[in-house]
Amino acid sequence: MTTLLHATVSVNALGALDLLQVAATGLKPGKNYTLWLTERRTAPFGHKQTLTMFTANAAGAQVSQAIGLLREVLTPPKPSNSAPDQRDLIITPSGSANAVATQDRYQPMPPPEKPSPQPAPAAGGT
């Protein structure tokens, strides 16, 4: 019986930083994996950038997180002759160049919001 690998990736704003979460199932228990941002979704993938690394649990699943300025990393650069219009996410076993999962849907990330104004002081503060 073969298991189908499935993963969902989300990015949420935490103010100045972003939280990336990947939830994957159908992995080989105890094996290490890497989530990459690539220039192409098929091999050769072009430039690859590591987003997070994780180890599958005994059930062959895992949720991994990364915190940083991810909207800047995940938002495609402005079009030019040498830059791709879209980048893709892939998962590979650590130490392998073979993808076990590739992105099949793409939803553009909204631009980062302007910084929030400072909160008003609490009532009754001195």
Side-chain angles (χ1 to χ4, degrees), residues 9 25 29 48 52 54 70 73 85 98-99 104-105 116-117 120:
V9 177
T25 60
K48 294 190 311 187
T52 186
F54 54 94
L70 297 166
V73 172
D85 291 335
N98 298 322
D104 67 353
R105 283 184 284 186
S116 301

Side-chain angles (χ1 to χ4, degrees), residues 14-81:
L14 300 176
L17 298 176
D18 302 299
L19 170 68
L20 176 139
Q21 291 183 308
V22 56
T25 60
L27 305 168
K28 291 186 180 179
K31 299 292 181 184
N32 297 320
Y33 293 89
T34 304
L35 174 67
W36 302 90
L37 180 66
T38 64
E39 290 179 336
R40 289 179 289 285
R41 63 184 304 196
T42 57
F45 299 104
H47 177 73
K48 294 190 311 187
Q49 186 171 5
T50 303
L51 296 178
T52 186
M53 296 184 296
F54 54 94
T55 302
N57 64 22
Q62 192 55 272
V63 174
S64 182
Q65 301 176 348
I67 295 177
L69 299 172
L70 297 166
R71 285 181 187 254
E72 291 179 15
V73 172
L74 297 173
T75 302
K78 291 187 175 26
S80 72
N81 292 340

